[in-house]
Amino acid sequence: MRTLSEIWDFFQSEILGMAWFNPLVGRTLAKAGIDTGSRMGASLQFFIYDVIKIMVLLGFLIFIISYIQSYFPPERTKKILGRFHGLGANAVAALLGTVTPFCFCSSIPIFMGFTGAGLPLGVTFPFLISSPMVDLGSLVLLMSIFGRKVAFVYVLVDLVVAVAGGTLIEKLNMENEIEEYIRCAGNFDIRQNRMTVKERIDYSVSQVISTAGKVMPYVLVGVGIGAYIHN
């Protein structure tokens, strides 16, 4: 059991969270003469680390989703993904957000990937709400400090808020409020079944470049504010 916990912790921090990259940024700034122990230096380290981490995650998700979608006509993709509706789908999405180790900054790119893939807002919003509220690491810490009952109530409230929020967004029919370049990211009018592997890769790369370029200003502003608050 301890071994599995250690493997999960490694995957959570080093693979998904790219924790190994943060000290690298710190050493690079130190060589440049910047004191990362100071408030300004620590904020700069946080900013560089988080921006790169988010953009890498965003690029990876968009590439994978775009490559998979190159095998499916848009109509077929929407038909398959459109089956996810109701409280059951919302609850599954909320649970998925609970077990993922992402903060709000990292949850947004994943939310964009889900939305661009055609998933309804009633499914994507519960994930977006629950993901930054709790993860397995904080749940273990919460249990160790306040006990199992408090931890259970916290997770239960998290799931209720996430499912209720997703249901409300779905009932309000707010799909048109999502930026068009996100909603239509997977809509392309070509003969998918005749594409070569190279063409699929080229298409996926173009989607990464296009979407990342449009999202970058918002990521910079958001992480900049987060870096200021962080220190």
Side-chain angles (χ1 to χ4, degrees), residues 135-155:
D135 58 50
L136 294 181
S138 62
L139 180 59
V140 172
L141 183 62
L142 198 64
M143 290 175 62
S144 65
I145 298 175
F146 298 104
R148 296 181 180 179
K149 291 183 179 180
V150 174
F152 175 78
V153 171
Y154 180 80
V155 173

Side-chain angles (χ1 to χ4, degrees), residues 36 159 184 196:
T36 56
L159 293 176
C184 301
T196 64

Side-chain angles (χ1 to χ4, degrees), residues 54-213:
I54 290 173
M55 295 310 296
V56 169
L57 178 62
L58 175 65
F60 177 77
L61 284 171
I62 294 175
F63 181 88
I64 294 299
I65 291 173
S66 298
Y67 191 88
I68 293 174
Q69 285 188 335
S70 69
Y71 286 92
F72 297 91
E75 295 77 13
R76 183 183 178 189
T77 302
K78 289 183 179 180
K79 183 178 180 180
I80 294 174
L81 296 177
R83 297 174 183 174
F84 295 90
H85 290 290
L87 290 177
N90 295 3
V92 171
L95 285 170
L96 178 61
T98 300
V99 299
T100 54
F102 303 120
C103 66
F104 197 79
C105 297
S106 304
S107 300
I108 291 176
I110 301 177
F111 165 78
M112 292 174 55
F114 287 164
T115 305
L119 286 171
L121 293 184
V123 175
T124 57
F125 256 91
F127 172 86
L128 182 64
I129 295 172
S130 67
S131 181
M133 290 180 67
V134 64
D135 58 50
L136 294 181
S138 62
L139 180 59
V140 172
L141 183 62
L142 198 64
M143 290 175 62
S144 65
I145 298 175
F146 298 104
R148 296 181 180 179
K149 291 183 179 180
V150 174
F152 175 78
V153 171
Y154 180 80
V155 173
L156 182 62
V157 171
D158 164 52
L159 293 176
V160 170
V161 171
V163 172
T167 303
L168 178 62
I169 292 294
E170 186 176 31
K171 295 299 182 182
L172 292 176
N173 296 320
M174 300 185 70
E175 283 79 6
N176 292 331
E177 301 301 323
I178 301 296
E179 289 289 344
E180 185 177 359
Y181 69 87
I182 297 177
R183 288 188 289 109
C184 301
N187 295 342
F188 53 102
D189 187 19
I190 54 178
R191 292 171 291 183
Q192 292 85 353
N193 293 332
R194 299 184 181 180
M195 294 177 68
T196 64
V197 172
K198 184 179 183 303
E199 289 173 336
R200 297 182 195 279
I201 293 175
D202 290 342
Y203 166 75
S204 301
V205 170
S206 69
Q207 289 297 302
V208 171
I209 295 174
S210 175
T211 305

Side-chain angles (χ1 to χ4, degrees), residues 16-27:
L16 296 178
M18 292 177 62
W20 57 269
F21 185 65
N22 196 23
L24 178 61
V25 174
R27 289 193 296 268

